Amino acid sequence: MTDSIRVVHYLNQFFGQVGGEDKAGTLPMAKEGSVGPGTAFQSYLKDQATIVGTVICGDSYFNENTEKAGAEIIRLIRDFSPDLVIAGPAFNAGRYGVACGWVAKAVSEQLNVPAVTGMYAENPGVELYQKSVYIVPTTDSAAGMRKAVPAMAALAVKLAKGDEIGSAEEEGYMDQGSTRENFFREERGAKRAVDMLIAKLYGQPYTTEYPMPEFDRVFPQPAITDARKVKIALVTSGGIVPKGNPDKIEASSASKFGTYPIENVMDLTKETYETAHGGYDPVYANDDPDRVLPVDVVKELEAAGEIGSIHPYFYSTVGNGTSVANAKKFAQKIAAELVNEGVQAVILTST
């Protein structure tokens, strides 16, 4: 074991077994050996590598104090003298993904130590760090831990050993997009291009050598010229729901949205409404839900005649970790209903 690769594992407060959202403000801390999913990594790594320490930080604390928290995390990692750092996996947890990406990038640049993390494709950490960090694709929840661990560990060990790293497709990490290498092919480009075209025409499988990025374009509607003649609806991804969350909207990775009446509601009070969102500190939203969904203000504008009318229902879901596919599905259903009800504009609020 003397030649074993020394590994430090970075985790958030939940996977570090400190606590849930109530402990998201946890300051950076270190523990000897493996913790939580680290035991699964150690089981797979066996004698190749040893998790000598685990560094833990609360998601909220890191994202609200990145410079300060990051410096302390790097110090704690450095103290273990690692040969390799594994961060996460974060799956589709946005704040956790951003932290894992930052840690992996900082470790590589500041400590010259290889690092690997894992995330779901729609995690915001992917967009921020995909080009500079090795990110292994995972499912959107911890249910995919069993598949994520061996994939991340295999790539991590190769990096630590200094082995040559192949393409994203060969090694199983997300395409970093910015790396180009010259090499010789047996067939010239013109023939390969014609072969791909023929395969496409015949409906046969082929793989492009230069994948193009896909951009989701949303074209804005014309500006409202006179709000006094417009019927407006309220929609939020901030998770505002009646007390008790009657539709059981998930705190993360929402699979549904709720529709709630406000025809006779002039103010959202803490006695009757709350947030179901698990991606931000709920204290201020629960104290006054109008901070996320401004029912009080729009009702005042309606009474003053500055808005034509307010749709008698508001629509709410949780944006935290919710997939783009689900978000589009929610939007299509909500939009269809609003159009049918003669709504001409929407105030869409987040967190």
Side-chain angles (χ1 to χ4, degrees):
M1 295 292 290
T2 55
D3 296 328
S4 179
I5 297 167
R6 294 175 60 84
V7 182
V8 172
H9 195 189
Y10 174 79
L11 297 172
N12 71 351
Q13 81 285 350
F14 177 78
F15 288 103
Q17 299 182 345
V18 176
E21 187 61 30
D22 60 318
K23 298 295 183 181
T26 299
L27 275 63
M29 57 187 292
K31 294 185 178 181
E32 297 286 337
S34 60
V35 176
T39 58
F41 276 103
Q42 189 60 71
S43 177
Y44 184 84
L45 292 168
K46 297 181 180 178
D47 291 340
Q48 296 182 91
T50 301
I51 297 178
V52 295
T54 302
V55 174
I56 302 164
C57 183
D59 285 335
S60 291
Y61 183 79
F62 179 87
N63 284 272
E64 294 170 7
N65 307 274
T66 302
E67 184 175 347
K68 182 178 180 181
E72 179 63 8
I73 288 169
I74 294 301
R75 185 190 70 78
L76 292 172
I77 290 175
R78 182 190 290 112
D79 287 348
F80 284 111
S81 301
D83 304 307
L84 170 69
V85 170
I86 296 175
F91 303 105
N92 201 25
R95 293 173 301 164
Y96 189 20
V98 171
C100 285
W102 189 96
V103 168
K105 185 174 187 291
V107 163
S108 300
E109 294 177 350
Q110 298 181 33
L111 303 183
N112 197 29
V113 171
V116 171
T117 186
M119 301 182 208
Y120 181 56
E122 295 178 10
N123 192 307
V126 172
E127 184 176 357
L128 290 171
Y129 296 104
Q130 183 175 355
K131 292 184 178 181
S132 55
V133 170
Y134 284 106
I135 304 176
V136 173
T138 70
T139 61
D140 63 349
S141 72
M145 185 72 77
R146 188 169 296 179
K147 290 184 178 180
V149 167
M152 289 175 62
L155 177 59
V157 169
K158 290 191 71 172
L159 286 167
K161 290 181 176 179
D163 294 345
E164 182 177 349
I165 304 299
S167 67
E169 185 177 357
E170 293 170 336
E171 304 289 356
Y173 59 87
M174 292 185 182
D175 187 1
Q176 295 178 314
S178 59
T179 302
R180 294 287 183 267
E181 294 183 8
N182 293 324
F183 60 93
F184 291 97
R185 296 288 295 267
E186 293 183 4
E187 297 177 333
R188 64 180 59 190
K191 184 178 186 307
R192 300 199 308 274
V194 171
D195 288 344
M196 283 191 284
L197 176 60
I198 292 173
K200 182 176 182 179
L201 292 173
Y202 280 91
Q204 298 172 349
Y206 68 93
T207 302
T208 179
E209 295 179 12
Y210 195 74
M212 300 300 294
E214 296 182 8
F215 298 102
D216 185 10
R217 297 184 181 274
V218 179
F219 297 97
Q221 293 296 307
I224 295 172
T225 57
D226 190 351
R228 295 172 298 177
K229 300 177 181 178
V230 174
K231 184 177 183 179
I232 297 177
L234 290 174
V235 181
T236 184
S237 62
I240 299 301
V241 294
K243 202 77 171 182
N245 190 10
D247 291 307
K248 306 302 179 187
I249 298 175
E250 299 88 343
S252 178
S253 303
S255 64
K256 67 193 80 168
F257 65 88
T259 306
Y260 308 108
I262 51 171
E263 185 172 11
N264 299 313
V265 177
M266 302 302 293
D267 183 26
L268 302 183
T269 67
K270 62 183 178 182
E271 289 77 23
T272 53
Y273 293 88
E274 64 184 354
T275 180
H277 205 292
Y280 65 93
D281 188 337
V283 172
Y284 298 105
N286 286 338
D287 183 60
D288 184 0
D290 289 299
R291 286 172 170 148
V292 178
L293 191 72
V295 171
D296 54 351
V297 174
V298 296
K299 287 301 182 82
E300 290 175 5
L301 292 173
E302 181 185 32
E306 297 184 41
I307 291 176
S309 64
I310 300 299
H311 185 56
Y313 295 89
F314 77 84
Y315 301 80
S316 181
T317 190
V318 167
N320 178 35
T322 299
S323 68
V324 172
N326 273 348
K328 286 183 176 179
K329 182 174 66 176
F330 301 161
Q332 290 166 352
K333 290 182 178 180
I334 294 171
E337 184 171 329
L338 294 180
V339 169
N340 187 56
E341 293 295 325
V343 172
Q344 299 153 291
V346 171
I347 296 175
L348 176 61
T349 65
S350 183
T351 50

